[in-house]
Amino acid sequence: METKNQIITAAYEMFQERGYDNVTVNDICQRCNITKPTFYRYIESKDQLLAYFYENIAAEITEQFMKMLAADNYWEQFCMGFDTILQHSRRFGADLYSHLFISNLREPKGTFDFDDMLTQAMTSVLSKAQQHGQVRNGNDPGELYMACANMCFGYGILWCLNRGKNDLLRDFRIALENVCDVEEAYRMERLQSI
C-alpha cells in the first residue's frame, strides 16, 4: 500500500508541476524509483490516477457535513455541500479536472456517480430550506437537488473550457440561487454587503 500511495502522491505532484499531458508513466516511475511492472502492479493506467485524486472528495464532504449542520440556515448548509465539491475541483486544477472528464468519457469509471448518502442528506437539507421559505422553488426536493448537482458538473466543465479563469464558486452559486429561487436575504451578494 505504501508503494501505491507513493505513486499516487508523486504523480499528483508531477501533474500539478508540468500538466497531465507532459508527464509519462516512465516519469512517474523515475520519480518513485520503481519499474514499469511495479507501477502497473498497483495502478491500472495513468488515467486511473485521476480517479484516485478525486475519490477523497466523498471523505472530505463527510468531514464537512458536521460543519454544514452547524451553519446558520438550511440554505447555507445546502450551499456548503456544493462548495466542498467545487473547492476540491479548484484545488485539483482545471487541467487535471479536464482530463478526469475526458477519462470518464472514454470509459465510465463512476467518478461522477451520485453518492446515495450525500444525495439523501442534501435532499433533506433542501427540503428544510423550502419549508422555511429560504428556497422558494417548490419542485420536488430530490429532483431539484439532482438538477443542481448536474448543473454543478456543467459549471465544472465550463470552468475547464475557460482554463480555470472564471470564478467557479461564485458563478455556480449565483446560478444555484436563481434555479432554487432563493429568498433575497440569503443570496450571496446580499450577505457580502452586510
Side-chain angles (χ1 to χ4, degrees), residues 1 12 22 24 26 30 55 65 72 89 123 176 183:
M1 195 63 163
Y12 182 71
N22 298 321
T24 66
N26 284 335
Q30 279 184 314
E55 276 178 2
F65 194 69
D72 291 338
S89 300
T123 299
L176 191 63
E183 159 62 41

Side-chain angles (χ1 to χ4, degrees), residues 89-135:
S89 300
R90 210 168 49 183
R91 281 193 313 271
F92 202 55
D95 177 56
L96 293 182
Y97 200 44
S98 296
H99 284 285
L100 184 61
F101 279 115
I102 292 166
S103 171
N104 276 267
L105 287 170
R106 275 191 223 123
E107 180 186 334
K109 295 174 180 8
T111 306
F112 299 105
D113 289 351
F114 292 102
D115 178 81
D116 289 338
M117 188 178 86
L118 178 61
T119 297
Q120 289 173 5
M122 293 289 280
T123 299
S124 174
V125 169
L126 181 57
S127 177
K128 290 175 184 173
Q130 288 173 318
Q131 292 166 15
H132 286 82
Q134 297 166 351
V135 169

Side-chain angles (χ1 to χ4, degrees), residues 139-187:
N139 287 310
D140 177 80
E143 292 176 9
L144 184 55
Y145 166 69
M146 292 306 290
C148 293
N150 284 306
M151 187 173 69
C152 183
F153 290 132
Y155 271 82
I157 291 169
L158 181 62
W159 179 69
C160 290
L161 292 171
N162 289 325
R163 305 278 190 245
K165 292 180 183 161
N166 56 310
D167 188 337
L168 176 61
L169 273 74
R170 181 187 174 282
D171 293 351
F172 175 72
R173 180 74 175 257
I174 291 169
L176 191 63
E177 290 171 352
N178 288 316
V179 167
C180 290
D181 191 16
V182 175
E183 159 62 41
E184 199 63 37
Y186 298 102
R187 289 185 179 252

Side-chain angles (χ1 to χ4, degrees), residues 50-65 68 80-92 97 100 110-115 117-118 152-153 168:
L50 296 172
Y52 286 124
F53 301 144
Y54 210 73
E55 276 178 2
N56 67 356
I57 193 164
E60 193 173 325
I61 290 172
T62 302
E63 288 174 23
Q64 291 292 325
F65 194 69
M68 286 170 54
M80 286 177 77
F82 286 111
D83 286 351
T84 300
I85 293 166
L86 295 174
Q87 287 168 359
H88 185 83
S89 300
R90 210 168 49 183
R91 281 193 313 271
F92 202 55
Y97 200 44
L100 184 61
T111 306
F112 299 105
D113 289 351
F114 292 102
D115 178 81
M117 188 178 86
L118 178 61
C152 183
F153 290 132
L168 176 61

